[in-house]
């Protein structure tokens, strides 16, 4: 039995034919018809269905729903299939450790399985989950992110500074592969504040003339503050012109101001899929890369499709994962809404508003749904708000639930009482219920949010259970 190499397992011409990049992508995204796009989606989808039927996980999941081979003949049949989420993947791992039965290793003959890349999630919403990629799905994932950066304005001579984490986590490795394999930009793989402390990251950016920043918005904003504290002016001493980050509900204008006027772009994806959607040069919603993903927006409670413009869970089908770990109707539990109006730059792809919160991290307080990630955006323009916060849900002895926010401030303590009252009014107006507000000095919530050590800071502590 001989080894299969990563490169032997790839067909680059076929990959770029199905998923164009660079100028070819722009032409495709602005000139293809919806009918041609649907035909491409159907062809890729049926390859994924064929692979899924060779995977024990889907044999069990679909069989329990009464689905038989041959029942699914096109994307029109997709709603007949049950969705699944991380809890099903974790149950698979318990059933068949350490890789679970969702990868589909058993669907290959002896010696025929492609090479495997194993990473994990960060564990932001629970125990870290195993992520598995074959060479084909990995390279398409890399291509999609690289073409999104290019669509947003990444140039061949840019210097890209990345603050995504490494170790077992997928993020830092995947972003590095995307930039170094599919662009000619220089890549600085700094990682998190634990891997490279914040002050050192600022020095690296200054030394090598970083022009593009990529990572999570919370930490990129912190690095701008660190630079100022070091006497280094973002935008002048560090010539950043473009930021591609996960913004969610965060304030874009504040991020751009912090980095001296750099243009900021949002994008969305999860560890299992890589990039799903990203802003284009118009910065008017996130374009779903529909040649690679079929995205449904489904009611949080019933799972039924919602009307255009209504909030719902993003349920994604990866149209390129036909080697290992097929991903068909995966409920991310990330919440968004579709943007029904046409694109101003003639891109035919579906657009979404972006990440608006997690339905499994949503808290219901006295009948009101609250997404803790959105609190920062609500306070962004409030006076003396330092940008960091932590939320708590509590329940008293009578069973009454309450919601509180600890917000960092730059104001002197003598002003805290009035500022807390003002923040409380802002949150009450935007959320719809009374919110207790406690203030803390800058940096005081870091131990709770773990912003220096996590790619995605903790924003909610639920003390009711």
């Amino acid at each position: 039995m001989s080894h299969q190499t990563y490169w032997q397992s790839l067909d680059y011409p076929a990959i770029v034919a199905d998923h164009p990049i660079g100028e070819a992508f722009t032409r495709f995204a602005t000139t293809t018809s919806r009918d041609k796009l649907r035909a491409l989606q159907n062809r890729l989808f049926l390859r994924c269905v064929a692979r899924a039927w060779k995977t024990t996980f889907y044999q069990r999941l679909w069989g329990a729903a009464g689905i038989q081979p041959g029942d699914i003949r096109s994307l029109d049949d997709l709603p007949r299939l049950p969705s699944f989420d991380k809890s099903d993947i974790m149950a698979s791992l318990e059933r068949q450790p350490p890789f679970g039965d969702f990868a589909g290793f058993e669907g290959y003959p002896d010696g025929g399985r492609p090479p495997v890349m194993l990473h994990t999630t960060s564990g932001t919403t629970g125990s870290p989950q195993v992520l598995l990629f074959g060479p084909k799905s990995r390279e398409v994932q890399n291509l999609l992110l690289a073409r999104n950066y290019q669509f947003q304005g990444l140039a061949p001579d840019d210097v890209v500074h990345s603050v995504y984490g490494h170790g077992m986590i997928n993020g830092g490795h995947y972003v590095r592969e995307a930039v170094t394999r599919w662009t000619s930009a220089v890549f600085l793989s700094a990682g998190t504040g634990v891997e490279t402390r914040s002050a050192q990251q600022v020095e690296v950016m200054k030394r090598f003339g970083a022009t593009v920043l990529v990572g999570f918005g919370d930490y990129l904003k912190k690095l701008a503050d660190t630079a100022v504290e070091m006497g280094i002016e973002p935008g002048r001493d560090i010539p950043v012109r473009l930021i591609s980050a996960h913004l969610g509900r965060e304030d874009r204008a504040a991020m751009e101001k912090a980095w001296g006027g750099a243009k900021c772009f949002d994008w969305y994806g999860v560890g299992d899929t890589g990039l799903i959607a990203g802003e284009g040069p118009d910065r008017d919603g996130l374009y779903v890369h529909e040649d690679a993903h079929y995205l449904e927006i489904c009611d949080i409670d019933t799972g039924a499709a919602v009307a255009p413009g209504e909030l719902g869970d993003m349920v994604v089908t990866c149209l390129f994962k036909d080697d290992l770990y097929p991903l068909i109707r995966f409920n991310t539990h990330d919440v968004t809404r579709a943007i029904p109006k046409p694109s101003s730059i003639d891109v035919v792809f579906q657009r979404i508003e972006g990440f608006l919160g997690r339905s499994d991290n949503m808290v219901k307080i006295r009948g009101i749904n609250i997404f803790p990630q959105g609190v920062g955006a609500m306070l962004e323009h409030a006076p003396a708000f330092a940008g960091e916060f932590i939320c708590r849900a509590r329940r008293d002895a009578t069973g009454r639930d309450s919601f509180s926010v600890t917000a960092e401030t730059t104001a002197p303590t003598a002003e805290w009482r009035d500022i807390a009252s003002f923040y409380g009014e802002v949150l009450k107006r935007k959320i719809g219920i009374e919110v207790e507000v406690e203030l803390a000095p800058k940096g005081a919530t870091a131990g709770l949010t773990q912003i220096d050590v996590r790619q995605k800071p903790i924003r909610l502590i639920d003390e009711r259970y």
Side-chain angles (χ1 to χ4, degrees), residues 20-22 25 139-155 174-184 267 275 289:
I21 187 172
F25 166 68
E139 280 310 306
V140 176
Q141 184 187 68
N142 294 338
L143 178 154
L144 295 173
L145 181 58
R147 83 176 185 187
N148 185 72
Y149 286 155
Q150 293 179 35
F151 195 45
Q152 293 174 344
L154 178 71
Y174 147 57
V175 174
R176 172 181 49 78
E177 292 166 15
V179 174
T180 58
R181 293 180 183 175
W182 291 97
T183 83
S184 57
W267 70 274
L275 175 134
H289 288 237

Side-chain angles (χ1 to χ4, degrees), residues 10-20 135-137 139-140 143 182:
L10 293 171
D11 184 345
Y12 275 100
I15 287 174
V16 296
D18 288 338
H19 313 288
K136 186 274 182 80
S137 55
E139 280 310 306
V140 176
L143 178 154
W182 291 97

Side-chain angles (χ1 to χ4, degrees), residues 116-136:
V116 179
M117 281 125 283
L118 185 150
H119 289 288
T120 68
T121 63
S122 62
T124 304
T125 57
S127 300
Q129 173 197 324
V130 170
L131 302 173
L132 296 163
F133 307 94
K136 186 274 182 80

Side-chain angles (χ1 to χ4, degrees), residues 53 57-68 71-72 79-83 329:
W53 274 121
F57 177 86
Y58 285 100
Q59 292 169 2
R60 182 178 64 255
L61 179 69
W62 293 352
I67 305 296
Q68 299 294 323
D71 288 350
I72 306 302
R80 298 177 58 190
L81 294 172
S83 64
R329 300 210 77 211

Side-chain angles (χ1 to χ4, degrees), residues 222-235:
K222 176 182 173 65
L223 286 177
D225 295 338
T226 301
V228 172
E229 292 167 2
M230 295 169 63
I232 295 172
E233 184 177 335

Side-chain angles (χ1 to χ4, degrees), residues 6-220:
Y6 185 91
W7 308 112
Q8 288 172 331
S9 302
L10 293 171
D11 184 345
Y12 275 100
I15 287 174
V16 296
D18 288 338
H19 313 288
I21 187 172
E23 294 180 2
F25 166 68
T26 304
R27 286 194 302 271
F28 171 78
T30 55
T31 63
T32 195
S33 68
R34 291 296 306 181
D35 287 344
K36 287 185 177 179
L37 178 60
R38 182 72 171 195
L40 171 64
Q41 290 177 318
N42 262 316
R43 176 170 62 83
L44 300 181
F45 171 65
L46 291 177
R47 291 197 316 208
C48 294
V49 170
R51 172 54 55 191
W53 274 121
K54 297 178 181 179
T55 305
T56 303
F57 177 86
Y58 285 100
Q59 292 169 2
R60 182 178 64 255
L61 179 69
W62 293 352
I67 305 296
Q68 299 294 323
D71 288 350
I72 306 302
R73 300 180 180 181
S74 76
L75 276 170
D76 294 336
D77 297 319
L78 188 63
R80 298 177 58 190
L81 294 172
S83 64
F84 69 98
D85 60 17
K86 178 178 177 177
S87 66
D88 297 294
I89 295 298
M90 300 307 288
S92 170
L93 290 167
E94 290 182 9
R95 181 180 293 110
Q96 189 173 311
F99 302 117
D101 61 3
F102 55 86
F105 292 170
E106 70 282 3
Y108 289 94
D110 288 345
R113 174 183 58 73
V116 179
M117 281 125 283
L118 185 150
H119 289 288
T120 68
T121 63
S122 62
T124 304
T125 57
S127 300
Q129 173 197 324
V130 170
L131 302 173
L132 296 163
F133 307 94
K136 186 274 182 80
S137 55
R138 184 65 171 192
E139 280 310 306
V140 176
Q141 184 187 68
N142 294 338
L143 178 154
L144 295 173
L145 181 58
R147 83 176 185 187
N148 185 72
Y149 286 155
Q150 293 179 35
F151 195 45
Q152 293 174 344
L154 178 71
D157 59 352
D158 272 318
V159 177
V160 181
H161 184 94
S162 169
V163 300
Y164 289 100
H166 299 93
M168 290 298 295
I169 298 171
N170 183 38
H173 303 283
Y174 147 57
V175 174
R176 172 181 49 78
E177 292 166 15
V179 174
T180 58
R181 293 180 183 175
W182 291 97
T183 83
S184 57
V186 175
F187 190 72
L188 308 177
S189 192
T192 66
V194 172
E195 294 171 277
T196 309
R197 60 186 179 86
S198 299
Q200 187 180 355
Q201 293 219 19
V202 171
E203 292 287 359
V204 167
M205 283 187 267
K206 181 181 177 183
R207 178 184 177 191
F208 292 105
T211 56
V212 176
L213 303 182
V214 297
F216 287 88
D218 308 73
Y219 188 59
L220 292 176

